[in-house]
Amino acid sequence: MPKARSQQVSLQDTCYYHCVSRCVRCSFLCGQDPYSGKSYEHRRQWVEERLLQLAEVFAISVCAFAVMSNHTHVVLCIEPEQVEEWDTTEVVQRWHRLYGGTALTQRYCQEEERQQMAEAELNVVEALAEQYLERLMDISWFMRALNEPIARMANREDGCTGRFWEGRFKSQALLDEQALLSCMAYVDLNPIRANIARTPEGSHHTSIRMRIQAALKGEQPTQLKPFSTQSQPTAHALPCHLNDYLELLEFTGRAQRLDKPGHVADSAPELLSRLGIALPNWITLTQGFEYQFGCRAGTLTSLQHCRGSQDAVRIRGSTNARRLFAA
């Protein structure tokens, strides 16, 4: 039986989560349906635009994403420190960018109306703002806000009703930087593994293409969590330099595809050595990360620490953690 989402998400263990949503039956989210010949390629843009919009509203950053033909991958980072500067007005206004709120919250956002509101009405708004704030730091609400509009738009276009996504989305807690970076590489290389792209920069509707295009312009994509520019990365940045990650991704893409032209270097990039992951293990991780672990992923030490905080008896994924996250 699947675990309750509240048991899978714990900021004490990690702020990073890998989420996967899959379409039901043979429904096509995007791409070309080989049976009907109909193209759903335009739906990729729906997903990307909605995902990046949510990153600007929620206290949740997007680390990586890939929009595939019948499923999506996103790596999210919950950032509670963002909300420290948000007052009630900020919280309510952010919520209104996604949902209508209530008549009271709508009045509250208008300064003249707010000044005329009774104390009891203001108290109701404060209570609602606290509820909204919790939701704006919740990956379940983030994924709900992503998937529900896409399902409605797709059903409307297909002229049908009913379920579009397979139940709830799948989530994996990424407990350490080894799990985080290997999962990000797994997500960014999805189109290459599926043979719908030949290079990372040619992988449309992915985070890696977005980062590369921004880097060529000397910019930083503001909707994505930035890579570190310091030797000791902070919690506000991903734990390596973008150049290191791009080098590692290119190397991995060449190593995992036998039909791709180009020379595979004899030695792994420096980043792998720092992470303590052997090259064959890295290839295994980035070819099938979501299938190597259960709802939590990380080194054996991280999994053991997480078990202690959750009072769990069995460490699911410990065998693969011991096998794959070892140099």
Side-chain angles (χ1 to χ4, degrees):
M1 179 181 295
K3 288 187 177 181
R5 193 70 67 191
S6 59
Q7 297 178 20
Q8 296 183 28
V9 178
S10 170
L11 286 177
Q12 292 180 339
D13 296 325
T14 183
C15 59
Y16 294 101
Y17 294 86
H18 171 216
C19 303
V20 186
S21 299
R22 300 183 185 278
C23 297
V24 297
R25 303 181 302 277
C26 295
S27 297
F28 261 70
L29 169 63
C30 308
Q32 187 88 15
D33 185 348
Y35 300 102
S36 67
K38 185 176 181 179
S39 175
Y40 298 93
E41 191 65 21
H42 57 283
R43 293 180 180 176
R44 294 184 192 271
Q45 192 65 30
W46 293 358
V47 179
E48 180 175 327
E49 289 179 355
R50 181 67 176 179
L51 179 64
L52 299 180
Q53 176 194 4
L54 295 179
E56 295 179 340
V57 175
F58 281 75
I60 295 177
S61 296
V62 176
C63 302
F65 70 88
V67 185
M68 306 299 291
S69 63
N70 64 352
H71 66 284
T72 62
H73 288 273
V74 293
V75 177
L76 302 175
C77 176
I78 305 172
E79 303 200 62
E81 65 277 1
Q82 281 192 25
V83 306
E84 294 176 359
E85 300 179 357
W86 295 358
D87 58 14
T88 301
T89 303
E90 173 79 8
V91 171
V92 173
Q93 287 177 339
R94 283 175 175 267
W95 187 255
H96 285 172
R97 291 174 65 180
L98 303 174
Y99 302 102
T102 68
L104 283 179
T105 59
Q106 291 288 350
R107 287 180 57 199
Y108 185 88
C109 289
Q110 302 177 40
E111 187 172 352
E112 293 182 1
E113 290 285 335
R114 186 191 317 151
Q115 294 174 353
Q116 299 177 16
M117 293 175 70
E119 183 176 355
E121 292 176 318
L122 293 173
N123 290 338
V124 171
V125 173
E126 291 288 346
L128 286 172
E130 290 182 10
Q131 185 181 74
Y132 296 161
L133 186 59
E134 291 180 3
R135 293 175 179 177
L136 290 172
M137 294 188 291
D138 189 326
I139 63 169
S140 290
W141 272 93
F142 186 101
M143 294 302 294
R144 175 179 178 175
L146 172 64
N147 288 342
E148 285 187 355
I150 300 301
R152 287 195 296 269
M153 292 168 67
N155 281 350
R156 188 181 307 117
E157 185 177 63
D158 293 339
C160 66
T161 60
R163 192 181 289 274
F164 182 76
W165 301 101
E166 275 185 359
R168 66 178 187 173
F169 66 93
K170 176 183 177 182
S171 71
Q172 290 178 307
L174 307 175
L175 302 178
D176 44 45
E177 63 182 31
Q178 289 90 338
L180 171 63
L181 291 177
S182 53
C183 184
M184 287 180 59
Y186 168 74
V187 170
D188 279 329
L189 289 172
N190 247 262
I192 292 178
R193 280 196 310 279
N195 204 26
I196 60 176
R198 292 190 174 277
T199 61
E201 64 272 21
S203 303
H204 293 275
H205 305 291
T206 61
S207 52
I208 191 60
R209 174 182 168 87
M210 189 174 177
R211 291 186 191 277
I212 292 173
Q213 288 183 327
L216 292 175
K217 299 176 182 177
E219 301 172 352
Q220 161 63 38
T222 56
Q223 303 97 326
L224 300 179
K225 190 172 180 67
F227 278 92
S228 173
T229 57
Q230 307 295 327
S231 57
Q232 296 295 328
T234 67
H236 298 286
L238 294 165
C240 71
H241 289 261
L242 176 59
N243 287 346
D244 288 337
Y245 181 73
L246 292 177
E247 179 184 358
L248 185 60
L249 210 65
E250 173 66 12
F251 175 84
T252 306
R254 290 179 181 274
Q256 71 181 7
R257 282 191 54 196
L258 299 177
D259 62 328
K260 181 170 181 176
H263 174 67
V264 177
D266 295 330
S267 59
E270 181 184 357
L271 181 58
L272 278 188
S273 301
R274 296 204 306 270
L275 292 174
I277 305 176
L279 175 59
N281 295 346
W282 175 261
I283 299 301
T284 299
L285 284 164
T286 54
Q287 285 182 333
F289 184 91
E290 65 178 300
Y291 307 108
Q292 303 295 339
F293 299 94
C295 62
R296 296 183 181 88
T299 62
L300 182 60
T301 301
S302 296
L303 289 173
Q304 289 172 334
H305 176 77
C306 186
R307 178 184 66 173
S309 64
Q310 297 289 329
D311 295 325
V313 176
R314 178 171 171 266
I315 308 178
R316 185 181 178 190
S318 59
T319 300
N320 281 344
R322 186 183 293 107
R323 176 173 64 90
L324 296 173
F325 287 129

